């Protein structure tokens, strides 16, 4: 039976602007038209960014300038100097799955798709076809899963350390542009267009592929009007969770593909959520809600102060980190919703709210969107204090992306990839 994904789309801006043209195109990826995207097509949101002359990498947590000290902790609030900086072929649109670190390499989405040595920045391998625009770099089971750049309907697995193909699967000739969205120990989950006889497509399918044999475990047609673009997904145990621009949070059974439950998300949520154990945690305007994966019942909720709106959440090492539109950052117990700490350090320093987080040691590293007072922000995981910010001061209109291998923090900004000490 087709899934009951609601198809209404009356999204309007809240306290935040809607996704920029650049990010909407990223999330609507998979089409060849993205290759024509240039800086000139960026909307007014990007045009408003002040362009600085290239300067020293790193900056003071409150002033945004100055040289780093060269160590992971910085010195007097200053960012460390990069261990290395390399140009890349990156073609990113601001989504969090466009930069990954695994197997001793760091990889940024682009064409060709190049893997750089995490320690030195030297190229280890590359794939000439590169990554399909709009399709994620999906890591699981020590494998990097990619949509085929040949657009032949294949999904391919590669060893991150060597770039060698280790797995391949196809849904079949009746489907077009399959994109991997999530992976667990047994299956790779994909969404693809269903082809009509005239070559058009009005519907799409969500399917599970066996990650050993490549065989189709199940496939479910989604409702007419649902989209295969802009999907954010995660899988925990028997539950596959995903959202898209249709303002629905949907949970399916990983064994059968059957829909377990679905909830509406707010006009201010563009697919953001995180999962922890048996809970999915979703920002719903000024409320952060946690739902049981098994039945969709609310487990706990947390309200922001003064009508602020919650942004993208992340659970790192059993702690939920999230910021709101008032530039307040929260650390929360994801099991109960109990506040661990609440920090005004971002607002005090005049910094932008992070939209992506990673953690190494006792520091949380947040990556911001477009802002000369943003970049990579190092935050004390125990208190929320801002330790330093790193900004390459290029004025590039792309959002910052961050990843870590536990030894280094990788910061991608446009065509530049920096490795910072932790």
């Amino acid at each position: 039976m087709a899934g009951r994904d609601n198809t209404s789309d009356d999204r309007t801006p809240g306290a935040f602007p809607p996704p920029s043209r650049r990010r909407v195109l990223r999330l609507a990826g998979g089409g060849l038209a993205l290759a024509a995207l240039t800086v000139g097509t960026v909307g007014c949101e990007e045009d408003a960014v002040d362009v600085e002359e290239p300067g020293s990498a790193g900056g003071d947590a409150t002033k945004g300038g100055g040289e780093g000290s060269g160590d992971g902790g910085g010195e007097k609030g200053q960012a460390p100097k990069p261990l290395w900086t390399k140009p890349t072929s990156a073609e990113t649109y601001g989504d969090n799955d466009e930069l990954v670190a695994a197997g001793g390499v760091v990889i940024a989405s682009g064409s060709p798709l190049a893997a750089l040595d995490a320690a030195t920045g030297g190229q280890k391998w590359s794939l000439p076809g590169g990554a399909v625009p709009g399709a994620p770099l999906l890591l699981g089971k020590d494998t990097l899963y990619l949509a085929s750049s040949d657009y032949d309907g294949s999904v391919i697995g590669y060893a991150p350390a060597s770039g060698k193909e280790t797995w391949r699967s196809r849904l079949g000739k009746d489907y077009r542009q399959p994109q991997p969205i999530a992976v667990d120990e047994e299956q790779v989950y994909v969404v693809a267009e269903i082809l009509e006889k005239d070559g058009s497509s009005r519907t799409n399918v969500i399917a599970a592929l066996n990650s050993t044999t490549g065989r189709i475990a199940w496939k479910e047609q989604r409702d007419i009007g649902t989209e295969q673009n802009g999907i954010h997904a995660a899988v925990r145990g028997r539950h596959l969770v995903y959202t898209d621009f249709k303002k629905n949070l949907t949970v399916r059974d990983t064994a059968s593909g059957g829909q377990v439950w679905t909830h509406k998300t707010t006009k201010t949520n563009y697919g953001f959520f995180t999962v922890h154990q048996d809970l999915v945690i979703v920002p719903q305007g000024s409320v952060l809600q946690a739902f049981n994966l098994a039945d969709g019942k609310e487990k706990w909720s947390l309200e922001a102060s003064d009508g602020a709106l919650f942004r993208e959440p992340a659970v790192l090492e059993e702690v939920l980190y999230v910021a709101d539109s008032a530039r307040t950052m929260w650390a929360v117990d994801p099991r109960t919703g109990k506040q661990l700490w609440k920090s005004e350090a971002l607002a005090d320093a005049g910094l932008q709210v992070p939209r992506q987080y990673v953690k190494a040691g006792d520091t949380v590293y947040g990556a911001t969107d477009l802002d000369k007072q943003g970049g990579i922000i190092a935050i004390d995981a125990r208190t929320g204090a801002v330790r330093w910010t790193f900004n390459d001061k290029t004025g590039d209109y792309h959002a910052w992306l961050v990843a870590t291998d536990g030894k280094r923090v990788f910061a991608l900004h446009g065509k530049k990839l920096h490795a910072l000490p932790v």
Side-chain angles (χ1 to χ4, degrees):
M1 175 181 292
R4 305 308 302 168
D5 300 278
N6 190 292
T7 61
S8 63
D9 191 12
D10 58 350
R11 168 169 41 83
T12 57
F16 291 105
S20 67
R21 172 179 172 82
R22 172 182 50 76
R23 193 166 189 194
V24 168
L25 288 175
R26 161 61 181 90
L27 293 175
L32 293 174
L34 281 177
L37 182 65
T38 64
V39 174
T41 65
V42 178
C44 61
E45 186 178 61
E46 286 82 9
D47 293 338
V49 177
D50 294 331
V51 177
E52 298 183 24
E53 292 297 322
S56 60
D60 186 274
T62 56
K63 298 180 181 179
E67 292 287 341
S69 68
D71 60 36
E75 182 179 344
K76 295 181 180 179
Q78 293 178 330
K81 292 181 179 178
L83 300 170
W84 52 260
T85 297
K86 297 288 183 179
T88 74
S89 58
E91 297 172 353
T92 64
Y93 298 90
D95 213 26
N96 294 350
D97 52 22
E98 298 174 316
L99 179 69
V100 297
V105 300
V106 56
I107 307 169
S109 182
S111 182
L113 188 69
L116 304 185
D117 186 286
T120 67
Q123 183 172 298
K124 295 290 291 291
W125 55 264
S126 69
L127 298 175
V132 172
L137 305 180
L138 183 63
L139 284 172
K141 293 187 66 175
D142 299 319
T143 302
L144 174 68
Y145 295 96
L146 301 174
S148 173
S149 59
D150 291 331
Y151 294 92
D152 60 359
S154 298
V155 178
I156 308 171
Y158 299 90
S162 66
K164 293 182 179 179
E165 181 178 325
T166 59
W167 180 89
R168 180 182 288 256
S169 180
R170 293 186 77 242
L171 275 179
K173 63 181 181 180
D174 295 330
Y175 305 95
R176 178 172 60 191
Q177 296 184 343
Q179 296 187 11
I181 60 170
V183 60
D184 59 21
E185 289 300 310
E186 298 181 357
Q187 297 176 151
V188 181
Y189 304 90
V190 301
V191 171
E193 297 175 354
I194 301 174
L195 289 175
E196 304 291 335
K197 291 182 179 179
D198 62 0
S200 65
S201 177
R202 298 184 300 115
T203 54
N204 63 91
V205 67
I206 187 166
L209 308 174
N210 187 286
S211 58
T212 300
T213 66
R215 294 175 181 171
I216 300 172
W218 53 258
K219 58 180 182 291
E220 289 284 324
Q221 180 176 328
R222 300 175 70 211
D223 290 343
I224 294 175
T226 55
E227 298 179 358
Q228 72 276 12
N229 302 316
I231 289 181
H232 298 259
V235 60
R236 288 294 184 275
R238 286 287 298 270
H239 302 103
L240 171 66
V241 191
Y242 61 93
T243 59
D244 61 19
F245 277 164
K246 294 300 182 180
K247 302 197 304 295
N248 286 296
L249 175 72
T250 302
V251 177
R252 289 184 180 270
D253 186 293
T254 58
S256 67
Q259 183 168 295
V260 180
W261 56 266
T262 186
H263 282 337
K264 296 297 294 182
T265 58
T266 65
K267 297 176 181 179
T268 58
N269 182 294
Y270 304 114
F272 311 137
F273 70 90
T274 189
V275 293
H276 178 69
Q277 296 179 359
D278 60 348
L279 299 176
V280 55
I281 303 165
V282 191
Q284 300 271 56
S286 60
V287 179
L288 194 66
Q289 289 180 290
F291 301 103
N292 283 315
L293 284 171
D295 56 19
K297 293 181 179 179
E298 183 180 289
K299 178 70 177 293
W300 57 259
S301 65
L302 181 68
E303 289 193 20
S305 55
D306 301 323
L309 306 182
F310 281 111
R311 293 296 305 267
E312 296 93 326
V315 175
L316 306 171
E317 297 181 5
E318 306 297 315
V319 176
L320 169 67
Y321 299 96
V322 65
D324 63 34
S325 57
R327 292 183 292 181
T328 299
M329 189 165 172
W330 308 62
V332 177
D333 185 333
R335 300 166 299 175
T336 64
K338 180 181 177 181
Q339 176 184 312
L340 302 178
W341 52 254
K342 184 177 176 182
S343 171
E344 307 291 337
L346 293 174
D348 292 343
L351 298 174
Q352 185 171 326
V353 172
R355 43 166 297 278
Q356 182 193 10
Y357 302 92
V358 299
K359 187 173 185 288
D362 61 358
T363 304
V364 173
Y365 300 87
T368 74
D369 257 324
L370 324 170
D371 193 355
K372 62 183 180 182
Q373 285 297 93
I376 304 300
I377 305 174
I379 300 164
D380 189 316
R382 298 163 298 187
T383 65
V386 173
R387 290 178 167 171
W388 48 259
T389 63
F390 173 84
N391 197 312
D392 57 16
K393 300 186 179 181
T394 63
D396 191 290
Y397 67 91
H398 286 85
W400 286 82
L401 296 176
V402 65
T404 184
D405 62 359
K407 300 177 182 178
R408 293 157 286 264
V409 170
F410 304 101
L412 178 65
H413 190 212
K415 299 286 186 180
K416 286 188 175 182
L417 180 60
H418 312 273
L420 305 174
V422 299

